[in-house]
Amino acid sequence: MEDWQGVWIVAEQGQGKLKRVSFELLGRARKLADKLGVPLGAVLLGHDVEGGAQELIYHGADRVYLVDHPSLAQFDPDPYARCLERLVREERPAIVVAAATTSGRTLMPILAARLHTGLTADCTELDIEEGTGLLLQTRPAIGGNVMATIKTPDHRPQMATVRPRSYPPAPRDPWRTGEVVRLDFPEEVFASRFRLLGLEKPEGGAANIEDADVVVAAGKGLGRPDRLRWVQELAELLGGAVGASRPVVDQGWLPYPHQVGLSGKTVSPKLYIACGVSGAIQHLAGMRGAELVIAINKDPRAQIFQVANLAVVGDLAEILPRLVRRLREIKGSSCP
């Protein structure tokens, strides 16, 4: 396996602009590359994204492989997979890491199948094993009840997808220098079996839960689904998004895109308000990056209180309506 060298990340962009998760991947992969003493590469596929290549260098990449073509403007698994497969076969990186987003979860299994290698999906931690230099890929297993660490000793590249918001973005250093390798492929590489009809955002305010500065999460302690209106209005008054614990989603009160936790999304807002959330370890793992946690629960022994900056012990049916009314008053008095 000695001819497979280097660590790569697959950058993500939307409408020509790099997504935050690209910088999160660079933060993780930079540590992996430094431990191995190898360069850190980044693959950027898109259209009119040359400025993004330089940003990847500023955030930690040593070399950026840039493929710029109109067919890559929007994510399409056919040309994306062909471009990435060609690059990997030619350059032979030992490790390739992408984000566990919709596009990453679509692209990486295709690539793994074509390269006849393994893929560990939805990792929360990555590290290098002492002595072997193998990639240690840690992810939740058995419904999130245990954490499994996986290795790929016999095939290359070693591949993983990583949860967004599970690691801080790499800092920007405008003095960093690196190499941008611009690549041209034959037109047949960009052919596709798919036709993009349009782009739609999910309904119900869940589209921005990972990027929200404020998340108000509903737990089974709400008691009834009709009480969700208080959580939704509280989130709206605070300019935030609505999250949910797994039991709330399992009961059908909210759809899966709202779920926070090991089996849901990872969030790192400035403010996280947990309403009737018990604080199971699987849920805590999904919101551990929150800067300020306010927990409301009638059970004084609730696990959520152990991570809360402010604990409110009481009945949600009394506290949430009063909180919503008070915020309405404050909002109203601040209007010109």
Side-chain angles (χ1 to χ4, degrees):
M1 302 290 180
E2 291 182 1
D3 57 336
W4 292 84
Q5 298 289 332
V7 177
W8 279 14
I9 67 112
V10 181
E12 286 200 21
Q13 55 83 25
Q15 299 180 333
K17 295 183 179 180
L18 289 172
K19 295 182 179 179
R20 170 193 161 108
V21 73
S22 299
F23 305 129
E24 295 174 12
L25 290 172
L26 284 172
R28 280 190 182 275
R30 181 73 265 170
K31 290 192 172 184
L32 301 178
D34 289 346
K35 279 192 174 184
L36 291 169
V38 298
L40 173 58
V43 178
L44 179 57
L45 309 176
H47 184 47
D48 292 333
V49 291
E50 190 162 343
Q54 190 58 52
E55 281 300 314
L56 292 170
I57 290 173
Y58 290 157
H59 284 82
D62 298 310
R63 178 178 293 174
V64 177
Y65 298 91
L66 173 64
V67 185
D68 195 302
H69 192 276
S71 297
L72 303 176
Q74 299 290 346
F75 175 72
D76 184 322
D78 272 355
Y80 268 61
R82 287 197 203 97
C83 288
L84 196 51
E85 181 186 2
R86 279 188 170 232
L87 280 168
V88 171
R89 290 191 184 279
E90 291 172 6
E91 299 296 329
R92 302 174 75 81
I95 295 171
V96 180
V97 180
T101 56
T102 300
S103 56
R105 286 170 170 166
T106 303
L107 175 63
M108 294 294 275
I110 297 172
L111 183 64
R114 291 184 177 182
L115 296 172
H116 303 287
T117 189
L119 170 67
T120 303
D122 211 23
C123 294
T124 55
E125 298 291 342
L126 296 177
D127 203 353
I128 300 298
E129 187 176 50
E130 293 289 337
T132 67
L134 291 173
L135 178 66
L136 299 176
Q137 308 150 58
T138 301
R139 58 150 293 146
I142 314 178
N145 292 312
V146 299
M147 301 299 287
T149 298
I150 300 164
K151 297 187 287 188
T152 311
D154 299 325
H155 298 276
R156 293 293 181 272
Q158 302 161 91
M159 302 203 332
T161 59
V162 181
R163 285 190 170 213
R165 294 277 176 166
S166 61
Y167 201 83
R172 186 179 190 269
D173 179 2
W175 301 106
R176 282 197 89 256
T177 58
E179 180 185 9
V180 178
V181 180
R182 296 168 180 81
L183 297 146
D184 293 315
F185 293 138
E187 280 301 312
E188 58 263 26
V189 172
F190 303 103
S192 177
R193 298 165 296 170
F194 306 101
R195 182 162 59 94
L196 181 65
L197 300 179
L199 298 172
E200 296 182 4
K201 291 184 177 181
E203 296 180 0
N208 65 340
I209 186 172
E210 291 169 301
D211 298 321
D213 285 334
V214 176
V215 174
V216 183
K220 65 180 179 181
L222 281 175
R224 304 197 308 262
D226 61 294
R227 291 174 176 172
L228 280 171
R229 68 183 188 276
W230 299 327
V231 173
Q232 292 163 338
E233 187 167 359
L234 181 58
E236 184 179 350
L237 287 166
L238 294 172
V242 175
S245 65
R246 181 170 178 171
V248 167
V249 173
D250 287 346
Q251 293 177 82
W253 295 3
L254 283 171
Y256 173 75
H258 290 270
Q259 185 171 319
V260 175
L262 283 177
S263 53
K265 294 184 177 180
T266 301
V267 298
S268 53
K270 295 179 180 177
L271 173 61
Y272 191 86
I273 304 178
C275 304
V277 175
S278 63
I281 190 169
Q282 294 91 340
H283 185 85
L284 298 182
M287 43 76 66
R288 63 182 179 182
E291 294 180 20
L292 177 65
V293 178
I294 298 175
I296 308 171
N297 201 301
K298 66 180 180 181
D299 179 6
R301 297 171 296 178
Q303 188 77 12
I304 190 71
F305 288 146
Q306 294 189 18
V307 299
N309 301 98
L310 176 61
V312 181
V313 179
D315 188 349
L316 287 162
E318 297 179 5
I319 294 170
L320 285 182
R322 292 173 64 182
L323 183 56
V324 166
R325 283 197 299 270
R326 182 59 182 143
L327 282 172
R328 282 187 200 146
E329 293 169 2
I330 294 171
K331 287 269 187 178
S333 63
S334 64
C335 293

